Structures are given as C-alpha cells and as structure tokens.
Amino acid sequence: MDYEGKLSEALTSLRNEGRYRVFADIVRHRGSFPRATFHAPEGEKEIVVWCSNDYLGMGQNELVTSAMHEAVDLVGAGSGGTRNISGTTHYHVELEKEIADLHQKESALLFTSGYIANDATLSTLARVFGDCLTISDELNHASMIEGIRRSGGPKRVWRHNDLEHLEELLQSVPLEQPKIVAFESVYSMDGDIAPIGEICDLAHKYGALTYLDEVHAVGLYGPRGGGIAERDGVLDKVDIIEGTLAKGFGVMGGYIAASEAVVDVVRSYAPGFIFSTSLSPVLVAGILASVRHLKASNVEREVHQERAQTLRKMLLDAGLPVMMCESHIVPVMVKDPVLCKQVADDLLNDHNIYVQPINYPTVPRGTERLRFTPCPLHTDEMMESLVHALDDVWTRRKIRRAA
Ligand SMILES: *Cc1c(COP(=O)(O)O)cnc(C)c1O
C-alpha cells in the first residue's frame, strides 16, 4: 500500500474543489478585539476579525478574565480528573445549577464542548429508549448528525423547518414508538430561526421528545440570555436544550439542560461524558462570570442586534448580495467555492480583513458564502471599510451582485 500516495490523493481532491482548509494563524489582543495580529507566511500584520463566534466579545470581558485569574491562583490549572474520579469541582456544580436555572429545567450537565454534548446526548438517549426514531432537521449541525448516527437507531430527515413534512414523518410510525425531534433554534449559516413552539406542539401531539440546539442563541437572545425558546416564552415545551459556552458566552464547553432523569441517564451512560477529563475549573470560573453577567445585563444583546442590522443595511445599500434573515448572522453569497476562497484571500491580503470562506460540506454546494458576525465591538468605521473592501473585490472579480 502506498500510504503517502493515498493521503496526497485525498488532499488533492479537496484542493481541486476549493475545499482545502487553510487555518489563519491569529492572535487576539485583550481589549482591542475584533482587532488581531495575523501571522502570515510573509510576516505579521494587523487585521480586523469578521468571523468570530465570540458573538458578544465575552471572551475578553474583564469580569470573565478576572474570574479566571482568580481561579487559577486559587485552584491551579486543571481539574485533574473525569467527573467521577476527582474532577467534579465546586465550580462545575455551581455552573450546572446556574444553567439549569437559565433554561428553567430541573438539571443540567456540562461537557467539554457543544459538539460532545450533542453527540453524547443524542446517541445515548436513542440507545436507551430502544428502537427510537430520531427525526432530524435537514440543516442540523454535524454534531447532532453524528450523535444520531452513532445511536444506531432509525433516522428520518425532515425538510428544513417544514411543519407539514415533520407531521408526515411523525405519523409514519406507531404512536407508542419512542421518537426524538432534533432541531436548532438559530441556524448559523443562513441565520434563520425555527418556530420552536409549533415544532414542539406537533412533536408532543405524536408523543415525541423535543431536542433543541440553541448554540447560536444562548447568551444572545431572551431576557436572560436563555435563547430563542426563552425569547418566545416556550422554554417549558422543549424537553432537552443543548448549548455551548464557547460562542455567546465566550469561553469553552457545552451542556444540556433537561429533566433530572434525562440528565442522570446521560451522566451515567454516555462514554463521551464519562471517560473524559472535566473542564478546567479556570474555564468554569470564567463561564460562571459570563453566564451570570448575561443573565442580568441586556446591553450586550441590544448592541449586538443593532450592529448586525446596521451592517446588513450598509451591505444592501452597496448592492452586495447579502442574505436577509432575522438573526445576528450576516451571510454574503458568492455561490462558487473557488471564487469564495479567492474573495476571502483578497480581503485578507489587500484589505486586512479576515473572514473565513464557508464552503461545502459546511453549506450545500452552490451556496458558498462569506459569513460575517458583527459583534458589539465592531465600530461604524470598521463596517465602512469592510463594505468598501467588498465593493472593491466584487468589482475587480466581476462577481454577481443580486442576492
Ligand atoms: C459550534 C456548534 C456546535 C458545537 O459547539 P462547540 O462548543 O463549538 O463544540 C454545536 N451545534 C451547532 C449548531 C454549532 O454551530
């Protein structure tokens, strides 16, 4: 076997499709985000980051970083074990209480990432129920898809946010068969929002459990940052809420919030939870500060929404193909993978603007795009120079302007 040849063949095919991933080597500077230093092969330069999921800049918030400083001085760097073997610190216990309260659930469970939370929970629940049908929105995140696949149970994919199709699938199996309806609130690539209450009502009518990924909404929506379900007043209709601590909350980790029984089962049966060292208490201290702050403060959420709307309007006025949506995500369509990569390279090389091209498999082929995530710290001036740069690249590369 020519291992090297096989490996390089695999990579060449990605390159030919414009899908080969090049990581941008950047350093964020506390206090000046979204400015950062880009370590290019030719040397360093200052850039503005336009694609961070640190949506509110909480990763650099003084309250968060000082809580982390305090914790590292008090307890040291790591947790030292899995949750079962010496890795449950008081910080973890406090944070799980805080999260259960945020979502008005009996209980919550921390994971090392949102990815693991989805994968571990969906695979475990469907396995424990036995012959459980998981009905999955077609645009669900890879971590949910992977969890459902690993459950080994039957799966049906429902057309994105299509209630009629969902009902059809719910009706296609006996009422007594266990079912989980899995979906997201804010879909992070198109920025559209699911009708959570209606989906849950339908699911419950057919005896299904509801599983909601609020990764792109926690911290960002709802009066206390509880997400879209909180904003819409339907927290009680969602059986299991999953979230991340890495995006709106700005640190790292993931969680579920649900009934005591659900949490107890996942805690007891999910290998991805059981056999992995728990989050560092330093991270957890930072997360606690972030969650507590965003429960009490609306300023960040309000400015965040205003910034997104302002950028969207500026792009529209400049005749750029911005996708309209009701959330904080601002996608600009390129619809060609190679061109999308070239545009991002031009922005970085010529304009010191960093936005990662989003290509297949993250989005369907033919819908390649730039995904801008304005945060409260992006200024009007930064937005003006972004729009100017895009206008320049669009003209030079003769890219279509209609959305
Ligand atoms: C980012 C993401 C996750 C994973 O969360 P991490 O904490 O980054 O692992 C899960 N679901 C969706 C929809 C995401 O975009």
Side-chain angles (χ1 to χ4, degrees):
M1 171 78 189
D2 173 14
Y3 293 106
E4 288 296 320
K6 200 75 195 163
L7 296 171
S8 92
E9 209 177 281
L11 294 172
T12 301
S13 84
L14 286 182
R15 280 201 183 86
N16 291 343
E17 284 183 68
R19 293 209 282 129
Y20 183 72
R21 294 180 170 192
V22 180
F23 300 154
D25 175 353
I26 64 172
V27 176
R28 309 203 307 165
H29 304 287
R30 190 165 75 80
S32 64
F33 185 73
R35 294 187 194 281
T37 303
F38 173 50
H39 290 253
E42 318 80 64
E44 294 178 10
K45 69 175 184 174
E46 297 310 303
I47 56 161
V48 174
V49 179
W50 275 103
C51 54
S52 174
N53 280 337
D54 186 354
Y55 288 126
L56 302 177
M58 291 305 287
Q60 302 208 335
N61 186 290
E62 178 71 36
L63 291 167
V64 175
T65 55
S66 54
M68 294 176 75
H69 280 295
E70 207 175 290
V72 76
D73 287 340
L74 277 171
V75 302
S79 78
T82 62
R83 286 295 295 274
N84 190 43
I85 307 179
S86 87
T88 296
T89 74
H90 192 59
Y91 294 91
H92 295 82
V93 175
E94 289 275 289
L95 180 57
E96 285 174 343
K97 277 191 209 146
E98 203 66 68
I99 289 170
D101 169 74
L102 176 64
H103 295 294
Q104 300 289 293
K105 298 291 171 201
E106 288 171 3
S107 212
L109 192 66
L110 288 173
F111 298 82
T112 46
S113 73
Y115 187 103
I116 303 281
N118 273 332
D119 179 51
T121 306
L122 284 167
S123 60
T124 300
L125 286 181
R127 211 163 1 95
V128 165
F129 292 134
D131 194 34
C132 175
L133 172 68
T134 306
I135 307 180
S136 174
D137 186 285
E138 69 177 324
L139 294 188
N140 274 348
H141 190 257
S143 53
M144 281 196 270
I145 296 169
E146 189 60 16
I148 296 163
R149 192 187 64 74
R150 291 199 317 104
S151 79
K155 163 186 172 172
R156 298 296 300 273
V157 174
W158 114 75
R159 282 194 297 275
H160 180 55
N161 280 344
D162 181 337
L163 291 161
E164 269 174 43
H165 191 215
L166 173 60
E167 183 155 29
E168 226 173 84
L169 294 179
L170 284 162
Q171 284 171 334
S172 71
V173 292
L175 198 59
E176 321 75 65
Q177 183 173 348
K179 300 175 227 33
I180 297 173
V181 171
F183 62 112
E184 300 182 24
S185 58
V186 176
Y187 285 84
S188 73
M189 291 302 149
D190 292 350
D192 59 327
I193 296 177
I196 299 173
E198 287 168 86
I199 290 171
C200 292
D201 287 343
L202 201 53
H204 291 150
K205 180 173 156 196
Y206 293 93
L209 279 182
T210 51
Y211 183 98
L212 176 63
D213 175 319
E214 287 251 41
V215 160
H216 293 279
V218 292
L220 311 178
Y221 294 88
R224 297 198 306 158
I228 300 290
E230 188 198 21
R231 183 196 75 174
D232 292 356
V234 294
L235 278 174
D236 59 323
K237 295 189 183 193
V238 186
D239 297 304
I240 301 137
I241 291 180
E242 182 270 348
T244 185
L245 301 161
K247 296 174 184 173
F249 292 120
V251 189
M252 191 179 185
Y255 65 83
I256 56 167
S259 69
E260 218 163 280
V262 164
V263 166
D264 209 7
V265 160
V266 176
R267 186 184 73 88
S268 310
Y269 279 94
F273 173 82
I274 298 172
F275 298 105
S276 189
T277 300
S278 65
L279 285 170
S280 157
V282 179
L283 295 174
V284 181
I287 300 162
L288 265 171
S290 185
V291 172
R292 283 174 177 158
H293 175 71
L294 289 175
K295 270 185 181 176
S297 170
N298 251 320
V299 181
E300 292 81 1
R301 282 186 281 277
E302 280 163 8
V303 180
H304 182 224
Q305 293 298 317
E306 178 276 319
R307 292 284 76 192
Q309 278 162 28
T310 300
L311 178 63
R312 204 186 310 276
K313 176 155 190 326
M314 287 169 71
L315 292 165
L316 262 183
D317 290 348
L320 289 157
V322 61
M323 201 170 173
M324 297 313 288
C325 59
E326 50 170 328
S327 77
H328 56 282
I329 313 277
V330 184
V332 172
M333 305 307 286
V334 181
K335 300 186 175 179
D336 178 276
V338 177
L339 193 56
C340 195
K341 171 86 172 76
Q342 283 168 346
V343 169
D345 287 346
D346 289 351
L347 288 171
L348 188 57
N349 296 332
D350 306 339
H351 299 279
N352 302 332
I353 283 169
Y354 172 40
V355 62
Q356 198 62 36
I358 309 282
N359 286 353
Y360 178 84
T362 308
V363 295
R365 292 182 210 269
T367 71
E368 294 79 8
R369 67 196 66 184
L370 305 173
R371 173 183 177 271
F372 297 98
T373 51
C375 82
L377 303 169
H378 284 96
T379 62
D380 283 344
E381 197 187 9
M382 288 172 185
M383 292 192 185
E384 276 153 24
S385 68
L386 171 66
V387 173
H388 179 80
L390 284 170
D391 193 56
D392 174 59
V393 175
W394 246 251
T395 303
R396 268 197 293 143
R397 293 216 177 253
K398 301 186 175 64
I399 307 169
R400 45 181 285 173
R401 289 190 179 245

